[in-house]
């Protein structure tokens, strides 16, 4: 089929951006300029066969269909229908409803394209964030890791094995995900994936890969106690960034040692000495790190924290404790990503496609955050206080109308959509406690598999055949 079946690339991009209110209009700032997006897409086109670029499923069309599929939790058939709808709205000839061409185009789409777009949208979110959303002039970053299960195929099991204590054939492939998000706007600045276990697959190892592009000077990173180790602290100090986390449970603090701050016996500076070089670190990197690092340990309300913010006069204990309570935001973000966007489990059958599915979902998450940022800027609401679930619902409801309207009608739609999104806010959720239990009981629950499914099927077939033989013998 010829290229006349689809609108020009720039028109496709502009229509897609309008769905997330990224356009030049009255009182609206285009947070997602078209030219850098076109450059990223051009690089992707160079990485795919020349014949693919002359067909309907160009990298741009394929990527936009993937994003809509992720946002609407649809099937491949739904993604094809979204492209057909776009063609009909533009007065173009409708393409075939067969999903084969789309599935082939998904496989050929470079994995680097959605990954670069996550980084780019994160940078745009960061650049457009308002200064008063930061904490005392410091951008606040959130760091955490999680796991996702994949479709149980041989290819996925080979690359992302199940837990070692599970019997073969009973578990699911597990992928580890590490993300860095911003407390200013709630968007993702970067993400890395690895198998669940093995050398170089831990959360600190993945964070080291992310630091170069996500952690900047004067940032404050909030993280859990897992990251309280010399190497993580040293690398943050190398980048002139700060961190705040609870003290690791196995670390023992002698409050009679160190330098007392402001006369408080449970707020002290300590010198951490560089340990022996670990196997994963090169001698050059080891020598470049400082031999000693000054850190601050303080205790408040029964919890001990570690931080590199050593100025006790400017950064009081209680202020840091209140700041750290915002770390829970990344747990909520992971819940949005995994449950609200229905990314758990990943459905693709091969490791490459599973990673691509994951990165497209994370890109779609950032695009919704861009919509929330527009609403926050217009109505003076901190984006992290806007309900992500309601913003996603607003996108699903109004996206097609926004893409088709122009002129005064479009401005009217913009004003109403932004007001609707900004009006759906959530509370502080301070000291929120919920029991880890469910009230509703499952009805007619099936028993758990205690052997691989293929083996159980063979046993059932053998039993059925034996029952048939017994019936024939009785006759």
């Amino acid at each position: 089929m010829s290229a006349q079946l689809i609108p020009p690339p720039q028109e496709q991009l502009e229509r897609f951006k309008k769905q997330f209110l990224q356009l030049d209009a009255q009182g609206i700032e285009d947070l997602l300029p078209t030219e850098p997006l076109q450059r990223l897409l051009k690089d992707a086109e160079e990485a795919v066969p020349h014949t693919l670029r002359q067909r309907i499923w160009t990298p741009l069309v394929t990527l936009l269909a993937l994003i809509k599929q992720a946002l609407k939790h649809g099937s491949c058939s739904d993604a094809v229908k979204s492209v057909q709808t776009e063609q009909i709205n533009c007065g173009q000839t409708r393409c075939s409803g067969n999903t084969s061409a789309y599935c082939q185009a998904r496989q050929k789409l470079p994995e680097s394209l959605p990954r670069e777009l996550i980084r780019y949208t994160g940078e745009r979110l960061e650049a457009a964030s308002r200064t008063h959303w930061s904490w005392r002039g410091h951008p606040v970053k959130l760091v955490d890791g999680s796991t996702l299960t994949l479709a149980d195929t041989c290819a996925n099991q080979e690359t992302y094995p199940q837990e070692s204590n599970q019997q073969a054939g009973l578990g699911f492939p597990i992928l580890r995900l590490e993300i860095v998000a911003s407390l200013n706007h709630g968007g993702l600045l970067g993400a890395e994936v690895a198998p669940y276990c093995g050398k170089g697959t831990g959360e600190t190892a993945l964070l080291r890969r992310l630091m170069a592009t996500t952690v900047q000077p004067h940032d404050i990173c909030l993280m859990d106690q897992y990251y309280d180790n010399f190497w993580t602290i040293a690398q943050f100090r190398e980048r002139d960034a700060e961190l705040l986390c609870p003290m690791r449970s196995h670390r023992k603090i002698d409050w009679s040692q160190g330098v007392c701050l402001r006369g408080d016996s449970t707020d002290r500076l300590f010198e951490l000495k560089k340990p022996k070089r670990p196997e994963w670190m090169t001698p050059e990197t080891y020598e470049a790190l400082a031999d000693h690092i000054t850190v601050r340990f303080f205790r408040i309300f029964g919890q001990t924290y570690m931080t590199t913010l050593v100025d006790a006069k400017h950064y009081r204990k209680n202020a840091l404790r209140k700041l750290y309570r915002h770390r829970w935001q990344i747990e909520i973000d992971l819940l949005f990503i995994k449950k609200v966007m229905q990314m758990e489990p990943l459905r693709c059958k091969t490791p490459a496609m599973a990673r691509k599915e994951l990165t497209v979902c994370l890109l779609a998450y950032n695009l919704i955050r861009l919509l929330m940022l527009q609403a926050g800027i217009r109505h003076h609401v901190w984006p992290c206080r806007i309900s992500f679930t309601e913003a996603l619902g607003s996108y699903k409801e109004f996206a097609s109308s926004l893409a088709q309207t122009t002129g005064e009608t479009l401005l009217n739609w913009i004003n109403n959509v932004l007001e609707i999104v900004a009006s759906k806010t959530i509370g502080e959720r301070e000291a929120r406690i919920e029991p880890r239990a469910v009230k509703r009981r499952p009805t007619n629950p099936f028993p758990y598999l205690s052997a691989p499914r293929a083996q159980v099927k063979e046993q059932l077939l053998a039993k059925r055949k034996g029952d048939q033989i017994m019936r024939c013998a009785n006759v």
Side-chain angles (χ1 to χ4, degrees):
M1 296 185 181
S2 64
Q4 281 76 25
L5 291 175
I6 56 175
Q10 185 165 351
E11 183 182 335
Q12 292 177 66
L13 265 180
E14 295 296 341
R15 287 173 61 86
F16 181 75
K17 285 170 52 180
K18 281 168 62 178
Q19 299 173 28
F20 300 94
L21 301 183
Q22 304 305 314
L23 69 165
D24 287 318
Q26 183 179 351
I28 290 291
E29 178 186 359
D30 186 0
L31 306 180
L32 208 60
T34 303
E35 290 184 6
L37 293 176
Q38 289 177 325
R39 286 197 297 270
L40 288 171
L41 288 164
K42 185 177 180 181
D43 293 340
E45 287 180 356
E46 299 300 326
V48 297
H50 179 72
T51 54
L52 179 66
R53 295 179 305 205
Q54 303 302 320
R55 298 181 180 274
I56 292 174
W57 295 102
T58 62
L60 174 58
V61 175
T62 307
L63 178 66
L64 300 188
L66 271 168
I67 293 172
K68 290 181 180 178
Q69 184 179 353
L71 287 170
K72 299 184 178 180
H73 324 305
S75 62
C76 291
S77 180
D78 295 327
V80 174
K81 287 186 180 70
S82 71
V83 174
Q84 290 178 320
T85 303
E86 185 77 11
Q87 291 170 333
I88 293 171
N89 288 336
C90 294
Q92 304 288 334
T93 306
R94 175 177 53 83
C95 68
S96 169
N98 193 312
T99 60
S100 175
Y102 169 60
C103 292
Q104 293 177 52
R106 289 199 318 169
Q107 293 178 347
K108 294 177 181 178
L109 187 73
E111 193 176 328
S112 60
L113 178 58
R115 185 183 296 274
E116 285 297 308
L117 285 170
I118 290 172
R119 180 191 57 78
Y120 176 68
T121 51
E123 289 176 355
R124 296 301 304 159
L125 282 162
E126 195 76 357
S129 296
R130 296 302 183 251
T131 306
H132 60 267
W133 292 336
S134 60
W135 187 79
R136 302 189 179 184
H138 293 275
V140 180
K141 308 290 177 63
L142 308 172
V143 179
D144 203 6
S146 186
T147 57
L148 295 164
T149 55
L150 283 68
D152 191 16
T153 63
C154 293
N156 284 341
Q157 283 280 12
E158 184 177 354
T159 306
Y160 300 105
Q162 65 185 41
E163 290 189 61
S164 57
N165 60 356
Q166 289 181 316
Q167 184 180 340
L170 297 185
F172 289 88
I174 302 180
L175 174 148
R176 188 185 300 280
L177 170 67
E178 182 82 1
I179 63 172
V180 178
S182 172
L183 188 62
N184 291 17
H185 49 74
L188 300 182
L189 303 173
E192 280 288 342
V193 299
Y196 177 68
C197 59
K199 187 176 181 180
T201 61
E203 292 184 16
T204 52
L206 296 180
L207 176 59
R208 285 194 294 272
R209 299 187 207 169
L210 287 169
M211 286 182 67
T213 55
T214 59
V215 179
Q216 306 301 327
H218 308 299
D219 286 351
I220 297 178
C221 290
L222 308 182
M223 49 191 71
D224 59 32
Q225 63 180 3
Y226 180 79
Y227 299 90
D228 174 18
N229 61 77
F230 182 91
W231 311 116
T232 303
I233 299 168
Q235 287 166 339
F236 269 88
R237 296 310 302 138
E238 269 197 330
R239 301 191 64 81
D240 197 23
E242 314 291 349
L243 63 89
L244 171 64
C245 66
M247 184 189 73
R248 265 193 133 139
S249 57
H250 67 77
R251 191 190 289 275
K252 304 300 180 184
I253 294 294
D254 183 356
W255 294 106
S256 64
Q257 303 296 318
V259 179
C260 184
L261 299 175
R262 297 176 62 83
D264 188 342
S265 61
T266 57
D267 190 359
R268 294 177 177 268
L269 298 181
F270 290 88
E271 289 278 335
L272 297 185
K273 187 177 179 181
K274 182 163 65 173
K276 293 182 179 179
R277 181 176 66 87
E279 294 182 0
W280 54 266
M281 183 177 290
T282 62
E284 294 77 15
T285 304
Y286 181 79
E287 290 299 327
L289 294 176
D291 293 331
H292 296 84
I293 299 176
T294 302
V295 296
R296 177 184 174 192
F297 288 93
F298 63 91
R299 189 167 182 82
I300 183 170
F301 293 132
Q303 177 69 57
T304 304
Y305 297 88
M306 187 280 299
T307 183
T308 56
L309 296 164
V310 296
D311 186 351
K313 183 177 180 180
H314 190 61
Y315 306 105
R316 300 290 184 91
K317 290 197 310 183
N318 198 45
L320 292 175
R321 180 190 66 87
K322 290 180 178 179
L323 171 64
Y324 186 77
R325 292 173 70 170
H326 289 295
R327 194 206 70 85
W328 189 251
Q329 182 67 39
I330 198 168
E331 302 287 354
I332 299 171
D333 293 342
L334 285 167
L335 178 67
F336 293 154
I337 292 169
K338 294 172 67 172
K339 300 300 181 184
V340 176
M341 297 192 68
Q342 299 182 16
M343 204 174 70
E344 166 71 21
L346 297 172
R347 296 178 290 179
C348 290
K349 309 297 183 183
T350 62
M353 282 305 302
R355 289 192 300 270
K356 204 174 296 182
E357 178 187 2
L358 171 61
T359 51
V360 169
C361 283
L362 297 181
L363 173 59
Y365 174 84
N366 265 9
L367 291 171
I368 296 297
R369 285 291 179 183
L370 278 164
L371 172 61
M372 294 166 65
L373 182 62
Q374 290 280 32
I377 292 172
R378 170 69 74 88
H379 293 280
H380 310 289
V381 180
W382 184 22
C384 288
R385 285 288 165 261
I386 297 175
S387 169
F388 178 85
T389 304
E390 294 292 342
L392 179 59
S394 298
Y395 163 81
K396 293 178 181 179
E397 188 67 32
F398 304 123
S400 58
S401 299
L402 287 167
Q404 296 177 41
T405 54
T406 57
E408 291 296 327
T409 307
L410 176 60
L411 291 177
N412 184 49
W413 272 101
I414 289 171
N415 294 330
N416 282 284
V417 172
L418 288 178
E419 186 175 351
I420 290 170
V421 172
S423 66
K424 304 294 184 178
T425 57
I426 55 178
E428 288 284 349
R429 299 179 177 177
E430 290 188 5
R432 182 173 178 175
I433 298 176
E434 294 289 346
R436 289 183 174 270
V438 292
K439 181 178 179 181
R440 189 176 297 279
R441 273 64 171 171
T443 56
N444 299 324
F446 290 100
Y448 292 110
L449 278 173
S450 58
R453 186 174 294 275
Q455 182 180 331
V456 175
K457 288 175 69 175
E458 289 179 3
Q459 293 172 357
L460 291 173
L461 288 172
K463 184 177 182 299
R464 181 185 295 177
K465 188 178 294 185
D467 292 342
Q468 291 174 348
I469 293 173
M470 289 294 294
R471 284 196 297 268
C472 292
N474 291 335
V475 172

